């Protein structure tokens, strides 16, 4: 092998090893208390990259979240409250109040892993399903819960 080929071989091998190694994701989320702080505020739940919101999640304090909106499939308004607890980059939620027990039963528990979060958006994985979602930060004043919910 010439020196150039050897260098290319080493580079290729290094790239493959790096790709296969466990690592923090680029733009990874803060952890623990820093993540709780980063979550505070309101987030647009969307199916169109934030152009419109079918729901809003508002992290009220270090352990309470309020959610409301209109479920796209049923066009039914909803309101729910939950507690949440952060450990590392994982947030576990438990529904404590709801007007739609079919969609959000009281006592329902689920966990998410925050993959990335910044001033504009957060990306997270629902740990029960493995689905990944992105929500977008919005001013609390823009949150409009349906009046019939």
């Amino acid at each position: 092998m010439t020196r150039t080929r050897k260098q290319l071989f080493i580079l290729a091998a290094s790239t493959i090893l790096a790709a296969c190694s466990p690592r923090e994701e680029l733009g990874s989320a803060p952890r623990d208390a820093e993540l709780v702080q980063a979550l505070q505020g309101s987030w647009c739940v969307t199916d169109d990259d934030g152009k419109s919101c079918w729901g809003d999640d508002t992290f009220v304090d270090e352990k309470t979240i309020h959610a409301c909106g209109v479920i796209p499939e049923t066009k039914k308004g909803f309101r729910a409250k939950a507690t949440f607890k952060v450990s590392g980059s994982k947030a576990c939620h438990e529904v404590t109040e709801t007007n739609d027990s079919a969609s959000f039963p009281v006592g329902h528990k689920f966990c998410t892993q925050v993959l990335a979060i910044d001033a504009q958006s957060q990306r997270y994985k629902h740990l029960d399903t493995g689905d990944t979602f992105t929500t977008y930060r919005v001013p609390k004043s823009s949150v409009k819960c349906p009046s019939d919910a």
Side-chain angles (χ1 to χ4, degrees), residues 121-133:
S121 65
Q122 71 165 305
R123 193 172 73 253
Y124 65 92
K125 180 193 284 190
H126 193 290
L127 294 178
D128 289 345
T129 64
D131 294 333
T132 301
F133 302 95

Side-chain angles (χ1 to χ4, degrees), residues 69-113:
V70 177
I71 298 172
E73 295 81 12
T74 65
K75 306 296 186 229
K76 181 178 180 185
F78 72 90
R79 289 178 188 260
K81 292 182 181 179
T83 58
F84 75 97
K85 182 175 173 135
V86 169
S87 177
S89 62
K90 184 167 79 170
C92 292
H93 310 260
E94 181 175 357
V95 177
T96 57
E97 295 179 35
T98 184
N99 73 327
D100 183 356
S101 58
S103 299
F104 308 99
V106 170
H108 177 68
K109 296 177 183 179
F110 64 95
C111 295
T112 61
Q113 180 177 10

Side-chain angles (χ1 to χ4, degrees), residues 5-7 10 18 23 26 29 40-42 51 58 63-64 75 90 98-99 101 105-107 112-113 116 145:
R5 265 195 194 162
K6 187 181 282 187
Q7 288 172 338
I10 291 170
R23 64 187 192 282
L26 292 177
Q40 297 306 296
S42 297
K51 292 179 187 81
T58 300
K63 61 182 177 182
T64 308
K75 306 296 186 229
K90 184 167 79 170
T98 184
N99 73 327
S101 58
V106 170
T112 61
Q113 180 177 10
C145 294

